[in-house]
Amino acid sequence: MSSDVVSCPSCGARNRVPVAAKGHPRCAKCATDLAWLVAAGDTDFAAAVDTDVLVVVDLWAPWCGPCRMVAPALEELSRRYAGRLKVVKVDVDRAPGVARRFEAGSIPLLVFMRGGRVVESVVGAQPLHALQATVESLLHVPSRH
Ligand SMILES: [Zn+2]
């Protein structure tokens, strides 16, 4: 669970994408920004959200049907906003500490964070275009420019 392998959308090179890193992952061959989607639990959550890019924490569980509908939308967003967005997936059954911290009684719960602070949260499954609108509005916060 320390890293994942992602194919570069530009040159096809396979890159290891770490749970936590300074900056954001880029292709080792051509420097294209790579999608950053990781799984984290109680032990590595703090490190996973310690980043300069916008983070969306996906609190989910394998038995949760609506969570499965959100998952592909988040994968799409992680590709579309590569270099600017990080998706951190947290299985609430395996991460009771994180689940408690965000009071994840109802899932899916999406928590948007920047600099370790919560900036927005969304309860329940939302379609891709709604999630994209939220990401867009958060990416255009003036402090990023
Ligand atoms: Zn590449």
Side-chain angles (χ1 to χ4, degrees), residues 37-100:
L37 186 148
V38 302
D42 282 346
T43 52
D44 53 3
F45 181 78
V49 299
D50 181 16
T51 172
D52 291 334
V53 302
L54 179 66
V55 176
V56 52
V57 182
D58 175 21
L59 293 131
W60 71 287
W63 44 262
C64 161
C67 295
R68 285 195 289 272
M69 292 162 52
V70 171
L74 291 175
E75 283 169 26
E76 175 61 29
L77 290 173
S78 74
R79 284 190 293 268
R80 225 175 261 188
Y81 297 96
R84 303 163 75 195
L85 179 73
K86 179 180 188 179
V87 177
V88 177
K89 295 183 70 76
V90 175
D91 179 341
V92 294
D93 287 346
R94 290 162 168 241
V98 178
R100 247 195 327 274

Side-chain angles (χ1 to χ4, degrees), residues 7-15 26-32 34:
S7 290
C8 173
S10 177
C11 76
R14 291 170 70 74
N15 290 268
R26 289 170 169 226
C27 176
K29 228 180 208 173
C30 72
T32 295
L34 298 174

Side-chain angles (χ1 to χ4, degrees), residues 14-25:
R14 291 170 70 74
N15 290 268
R16 298 201 79 80
V17 173
V19 168
K22 287 266 169 258
H24 62 265

